[in-house]
Amino acid sequence: MARVFVYGTLKKGQPNYKHMINTTKGLAKFQGRGRTAEKYPLVIAGKYNIPYMLNIPGTGHHVAGEIYSVDDQMLQFLDEFEGCPDMYQRTLMRIEVVEWEGKSGAGETQAAAEGVVECFVYSTTTYPPEWVGLPYYDSYDSSGQHGLSYVLRESR
């Protein structure tokens, strides 16, 4: 099992959460909520209002999201879904645990108790330079006050 941190449309209550609970795509077990240990710019960009975490450590906010344990099948699905490695790149990042529900081995429980876990995160280094000038968010909600509702793939 791998640990993945999601901050955008794959979170509970967001437009693509259905994929996280679709067991035909693999297994994803909710472990808890967290935020990036370092600051990153989270922007909403493009004509489909897609959330992107730009891989510019030290800029932006501590981005909030959810921590999941996923099997190899789900990780492969997420790579394809996220357009990895072209649109997003999957990298390890340190995530501060805000709330932990995970029940796993002693090492994982210990790491969570210490407040920081390593997770795969889909962020991007491949983006138009003007995205750096977009508003930065600390948390994503497709129906947020920004008024930039995500456009589902089936509606594009």
Side-chain angles (χ1 to χ4, degrees):
M1 299 289 277
R3 200 176 288 131
V4 174
F5 176 77
V6 298
Y7 57 84
T9 66
L10 292 167
K11 295 187 311 185
K12 290 179 182 178
Q14 296 304 310
N16 289 316
Y17 176 66
K18 62 189 177 220
H19 299 302
M20 297 300 285
I21 56 174
N22 183 345
T23 55
T24 64
K25 298 181 187 323
L27 298 176
K29 182 174 177 2
F30 178 76
Q31 298 288 286
R33 294 182 309 107
R35 64 184 203 145
T36 57
E38 286 193 75
K39 292 180 177 181
Y40 289 92
L42 171 60
V43 301
I44 301 171
K47 61 183 177 181
Y48 303 122
N49 297 325
I50 298 172
Y52 293 92
M53 185 189 304
L54 309 182
N55 198 341
I56 309 172
T59 301
H61 301 287
H62 297 281
V63 177
E66 298 170 350
I67 302 164
Y68 289 84
S69 285
V70 301
D71 65 6
D72 289 343
Q73 183 184 347
M74 178 59 81
L75 192 60
Q76 184 177 344
F77 165 77
L78 290 172
D79 279 355
E80 291 168 15
F81 182 79
E82 299 290 10
C84 184
D86 301 324
M87 188 157 109
Y88 291 94
Q89 296 79 49
R90 175 168 46 97
T91 56
L92 278 173
M93 288 186 188
R94 294 175 60 245
I95 303 298
E96 293 176 1
V97 175
V98 174
E99 179 183 318
W100 191 253
E101 290 184 11
K103 296 172 180 65
S104 307
E108 187 167 299
T109 304
Q110 182 63 33
E114 291 169 7
V116 176
V117 293
E118 278 211 326
C119 299
F120 284 121
V121 179
Y122 293 91
S123 63
T124 186
T125 56
T126 53
Y127 53 86
E130 60 269 18
W131 286 9
V132 176
L134 293 172
Y136 297 164
Y137 300 94
D138 61 358
S139 182
Y140 175 79
D141 183 347
S142 178
S143 352
Q145 292 184 340
H146 48 69
L148 301 169
S149 295
Y150 175 79
V151 178
L152 287 167
R153 289 179 185 193
E154 37 294 3
S155 303
R156 296 179 191 170

